[in-house]
């Protein structure tokens, strides 16, 4: 039951992904282009040139095929195998092909050269209007979903679909616009997150900050891979920057910086009161802040040193007695707070604590998806 | 041992099995996909193989890329070998499919390999694809290749079509050719023997280059094409950093129409289209990306060579055939000065405008000059050597006729300046070239009347108006030509 719900969701999503610009048409054309492979057949490499294939898509071939093309391998039908959508697409695609077919010219050789080298992906010119009305909204929707879901949730979005959309926009020279739209979108989102945080009561503040941080970093785990084409072929080469760094910086500027001064006293206070905040939350928040801006260590070196190795100056032999005194003080305090040292049977529980506190990799925290 | 995990890549209803490990190794697309946690990252459904759907790519292109991935990204010389021959109309399609699939899937190793696959047949297409997919390295490699093979690229049949989509391309390629080190190059029938400069033995080289710091001549690792040896009276000009040698006559005194160009970027000679008219003792001048072959022995017609079409066409002829005249380009126009018409001395300065294709009388001068050489800087024409004869003057004409002089003529103010003379040198039969800050002049001739040998290699510095003599003359020989070319930096030792 759950499975079919999911599938439906996907289909709706895919339907939404289509648009009047036939952005998805090549998928449908693919469906019609070749006779359905028989389940036993070994894949035979197709040899026609892309242009030839395109021209060989007659509208007649629409009824040659059933709406569902069985995968020879017996996997579940792909989401685009929706009969109605495919039918519509088929017609549109044929029309698009007809429209895109070049007018016959007296010197066909050169004209054909140009035509065959035009890829199916890039066949339709994407104007800035197309980008605004069709492509960006699609990306916008996907980003929204990724930003608002909880880390670890199942993501119903197809990587291939969104990546293709980014790819097309980059190849059609919309990188600059897309990059600025992406930054604008995420900035707006983060400003909203920051406002929500501001409204949190102090006792929930750290926890909510942790959730916001975790959710955003989780979302980046998906958003950054979606935009790798833009990152590689625009941001890295033209701007000499990195998308992930840019997006993390946005969180620093629009959320963390605005909250650091209210957050820090609460963190210090929570640190002094064991279990006011769960140790994993403390660890996440402190490590997160350190990732965002290492200089924040100076606001509370001792607090940060509990979670990040090697940030305090190295131990000095001359101060050994002072360290010992500190340890003794800590132990006294623990005893006062009900932690006795004599009970050996509690050793395992103590181990767990140690694990949470001192494991150094960010992956140790199950709910966090890591910041790097 | 467990079998390798295989992913079925599905495109247009066909499946291509590929090792998942290799996919992750080679393709940034798949690495990011599995990292993204999105729908396709879940992997295989229970019991079935894992299928990854792709759309929009061309099947042949994808197959080439997957073959590459399957080979573990090993260097495969036959990468484009699988692509049909150049004449095949499908090649561009397969190539674009390959580049697109490699870009889409971000198979960096394959994209890097493409840098070494740039050929004359695919450079334009690869360049376009590199622009579309934002591959700056490939774009750079294509530009470098096209710059090195500029004229061959220019007359590729699909160049005009592709260039129309990229109006700046020609200009960028032209600029790319003008990089490297400007080097003085000498051509000639150099004689071997004990007096030949070391260190070469055996056949004397026909092409030398001058190293200005050591003041020595070195052989260029290229020789005149055999059919240019012993050709005299040819026309020579540099166009787009190609040295053109056109027409002339053989010792056996037949005139020829053949044209060759030396490309310093590839260190190769190419035979290009022959002129329509056989001619010798004419002038070849480069103006606005074209060559003009002007006149010749008893010939008044003019032909224009367009490297884009690799063909010669007649343009407006000279008013009369001229002998012992000279010509040069100046500010986009051609100027013809001196020599004889069939009846008389030519006292007229003629100007040719390539845009309007019209010869006009620019000015009539009162000094007659013949057998001179001409170069220009901005609006100034430098007239080097030749025989001067001032009409109605009582100067000792016998003296002035055989000395090396440099004069300038300003085409804007129409002012003549007598700049420099060197009475001990002959101004006849010299060759000169504008190079860096001066005019380098070379001649080696035996005057029959005196049987005195003139060996000249000096420089007229146009900024300081002074002579600078060099000790080392390239070699004994005749039929000399000196020229200034940009040589690629790597060969400059």
């Amino acid at each position: 039951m759950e499975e079919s719900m999911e599938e439906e969701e996907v289909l709706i999503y895919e339907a939404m992904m289509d648009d009047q610009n036939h952005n998805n048409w090549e998928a449908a054309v693919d469906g019609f282009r070749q006779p359905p492979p028989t389940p036993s057949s070994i894949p035979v490499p197709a040899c026609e040139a892309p242009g030839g294939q395109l021209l060989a898509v007659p509208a007649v071939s629409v009824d040659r095929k059933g709406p569902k093309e069985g995968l020879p391998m017996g996997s579940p039908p792909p989401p685009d195998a929706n009969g109605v959508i495919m039918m519509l697409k088929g017609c549109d695609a044929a029309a698009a092909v007809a429209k895109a077919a070049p007018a016959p010219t007296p010197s066909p050789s050169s004209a054909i050269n140009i035509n065959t080298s035009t890829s199916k992906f890039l066949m339709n010119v994407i104007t800035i209007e197309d980008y605004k009305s069709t492509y960006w909204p699609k990306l916008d929707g996907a980003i929204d979903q990724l930003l608002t879901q909880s880390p670890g949730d199942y993501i119903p979005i197809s990587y291939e679909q969104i990546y293709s959309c980014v790819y097309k926009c980059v190849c059609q020279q919309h990188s600059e616009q897309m990059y600025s739209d992406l930054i604008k979108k995420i900035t707006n989102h983060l400003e909203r997150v920051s406002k929500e945080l501001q409204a949190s009561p102090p006792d929930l503040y750290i926890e909510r900050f942790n959730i916001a941080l975790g959710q955003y970093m989780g979302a980046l785990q998906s958003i950054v891979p979606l935009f790798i084409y833009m990152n590689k072929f625009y941001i890295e080469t033209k701007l000499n920057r990195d998308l992930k760094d840019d997006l993390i910086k946005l969180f620093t500027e629009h959320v963390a910086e605005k909250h650091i001064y209210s957050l820090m006293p609460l963190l210090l206070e929570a640190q002094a009161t064991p279990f006011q905040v769960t140790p994993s939350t403390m660890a996440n928040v402190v490590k997160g802040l350190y990732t965002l801006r290492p200089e924040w260590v100076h606001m509370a070196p001792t607090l940060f040193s509990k979670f990040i190795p090697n940030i305090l100056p190295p131990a000095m032999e001359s101060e050994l007695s002072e360290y010992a005194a500190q340890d003794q003080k800590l132990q006294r305090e623990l005893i006062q707070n009900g932690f006795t040292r004599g009970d050996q049977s509690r050793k395992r529980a103590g181990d767990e604590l140690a694990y949470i506190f001192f494991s150094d990799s960010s992956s140790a925290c199950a709910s966090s998806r890591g910041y790097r | 041992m467990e079998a390798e995990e295989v992913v079925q890549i599905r495109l247009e209803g066909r499946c291509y099995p590929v090792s998942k490990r290799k996919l992750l190794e080679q393709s940034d697309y798949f690495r990011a996909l599995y990292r993204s946690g999105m729908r396709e990252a879940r992997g295989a459904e229970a019991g079935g193989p894992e299928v990854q759907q792709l759309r929009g790519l061309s099947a042949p292109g994808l197959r080439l890329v997957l073959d590459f991935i399957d080979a573990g990204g090993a260097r495969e010389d036959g990468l484009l070998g699988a692509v049909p021959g150049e004449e095949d109309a499908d090649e561009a399609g397969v190539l674009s499919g390959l580049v697109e699939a490699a870009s889409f899937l971000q198979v960096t190793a394959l994209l890097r390999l493409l840098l070494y696959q740039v050929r004359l047949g695919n450079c334009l297409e690869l360049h376009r694809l590199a622009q579309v997919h934002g591959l700056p390295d490939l774009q750079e490699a294509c530009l470098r290749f096209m710059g090195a093979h500029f004229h061959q690229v220019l007359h590729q049949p699909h160049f005009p079509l592709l260039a129309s989509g990229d109006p700046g391309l020609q200009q960028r390629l032209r600029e790319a050719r003008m990089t490297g080190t400007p080097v003085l190059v000498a051509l000639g029938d150099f004689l071997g023997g004990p007096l030949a400069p070391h260190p070469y033995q055996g056949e004397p080289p026909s092409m030398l280059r001058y190293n200005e710091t050591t003041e020595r001549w070195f052989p260029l690792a290229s020789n005149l094409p055999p059919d240019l040896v012993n050709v005299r009276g040819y026309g020579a000009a540099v166009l787009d950093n190609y040295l053109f040698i056109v027409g002339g006559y053989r010792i056996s005194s037949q005139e020829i129409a053949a044209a060759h160009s030396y490309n310093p970027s590839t260190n190769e000679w190419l035979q290009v289209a022959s002129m329509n008219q056989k001619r010798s003792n004419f002038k070849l001048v480069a103006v606005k990306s074209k060559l003009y072959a002007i006149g010749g022995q008893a010939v008044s017609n003019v032909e224009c060579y367009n490297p884009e079409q690799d063909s010669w066409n007649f343009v407006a002829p000279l008013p009369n055939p001229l002998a012992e005249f000279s010509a040069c380009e100046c500010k986009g126009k051609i100027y013809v000065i001196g020599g004889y018409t069939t009846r008389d001395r030519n006292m007229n300065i003629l100007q040719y405008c390539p845009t309007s294709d019209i010869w006009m009388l620019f000015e009539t001068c009162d000094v007659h000059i013949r057998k001179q050489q001409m170069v220009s800087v901005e609006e100034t024409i430098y007239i080097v050597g030749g025989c001067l004869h001032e009409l109605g003057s009582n100067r000792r004409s016998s003296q002035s006729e055989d000395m090396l002089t440099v004069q300038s003529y300003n085409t804007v103010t129409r002012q003549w300046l007598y700049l420099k003379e060197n009475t001990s040198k002959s101004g006849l039969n010299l060759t000169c070239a504008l190079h860096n800050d001066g005019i380098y002049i070379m001649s080696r001739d035996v005057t029959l009347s005196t049987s005195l040998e003139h060996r000249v290699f000096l420089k007229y510095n146009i900024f300081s108006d002074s002579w600078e003599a060099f000790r080392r003359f390239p070699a004994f020989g005749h039929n000399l030509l000196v020229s200034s070319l940009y040589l690629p930096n790597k060969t400059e030792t």
Side-chain angles (χ1 to χ4, degrees), chain A residues 44 71 80 159 163 167 222, chain B residues 10 14 36 55 100 104:
Chain A
V44 179
L71 257 182
D80 53 61
Y159 180 80
Y163 179 92
Y167 167 81
S222 301
Chain B
R10 190 169 180 275
R14 288 172 197 275
S36 73
R55 275 166 265 243
E100 170 152 272
F104 185 90

Side-chain angles (χ1 to χ4, degrees), chain B residues 291-488:
Chain B
L291 287 176
Y292 291 83
I294 302 160
Q297 209 87 57
V299 170
S300 62
N301 65 45
V302 178
E303 286 183 77
C304 169
Y305 175 76
N306 185 345
E308 281 175 48
Q309 278 106 45
D310 185 28
S311 67
W312 294 87
N313 290 302
F314 287 110
V315 292
L318 285 169
N320 306 291
L322 289 172
E324 302 189 355
F325 71 103
S326 188
C328 75
E329 179 272 348
C330 184
K331 288 266 174 192
K333 305 258 188 340
I334 296 172
Y335 291 85
V336 165
I337 299 177
Y340 298 105
T341 67
T342 38
R343 285 182 300 275
D344 204 355
R345 294 187 168 110
N346 172 35
M347 306 299 290
N348 294 335
I349 298 179
L350 301 171
Q351 185 203 51
Y352 174 76
C353 172
T355 324
S356 56
D357 187 26
I358 288 172
W359 286 98
M360 58 171 262
L361 174 59
F362 190 69
E363 200 189 357
T364 305
C365 34
D366 37 328
V367 178
H368 180 246
I369 189 160
R370 61 184 179 91
K371 292 192 103 173
Q372 80 280 20
Q373 300 294 325
M374 286 161 48
V375 294
S376 76
V377 179
E378 299 290 312
E379 75 267 14
T380 305
I381 294 174
Y382 290 87
I383 290 123
V384 183
C387 278
L388 279 172
H389 185 82
E390 214 163 327
L391 292 182
S393 141
N394 294 324
R395 269 183 71 171
R396 292 165 293 160
S397 61
S398 60
Q399 272 246 331
S400 71
E401 267 187 7
D402 202 16
M403 62 181 191
L404 179 50
T405 61
V406 179
Q407 307 173 73
S408 74
Y409 175 70
N410 188 309
T411 54
V412 175
T413 63
R414 307 194 175 194
Q415 200 178 20
W416 286 92
L417 278 179
Y418 193 83
L419 293 171
K420 208 78 186 166
E421 62 180 42
N422 191 330
T423 45
S424 66
K425 304 285 197 298
S426 167
L428 299 171
N429 295 319
L430 58 80
T431 167
C432 69
L434 202 57
H435 178 72
N436 294 339
D437 55 349
I439 301 166
Y440 284 72
I441 301 162
M442 193 184 283
S443 91
R444 188 257 172 213
D445 266 300
V446 180
T447 341
L448 289 174
S449 55
T450 58
S451 47
L452 268 179
E453 192 191 73
H454 298 276
R455 271 206 275 166
V456 179
F457 177 36
L458 42 69
K459 168 183 164 188
Y460 170 72
N461 187 313
I462 55 176
F463 296 102
S464 62
D465 184 28
S466 62
W467 292 114
E468 210 176 305
F470 300 105
R471 281 179 300 125
R472 289 188 194 266
F473 191 77
F476 283 88
H478 38 238
N479 207 16
L480 290 179
L481 174 74
V482 65
S483 183
S484 176
L485 292 170
Y486 290 96
L487 297 193

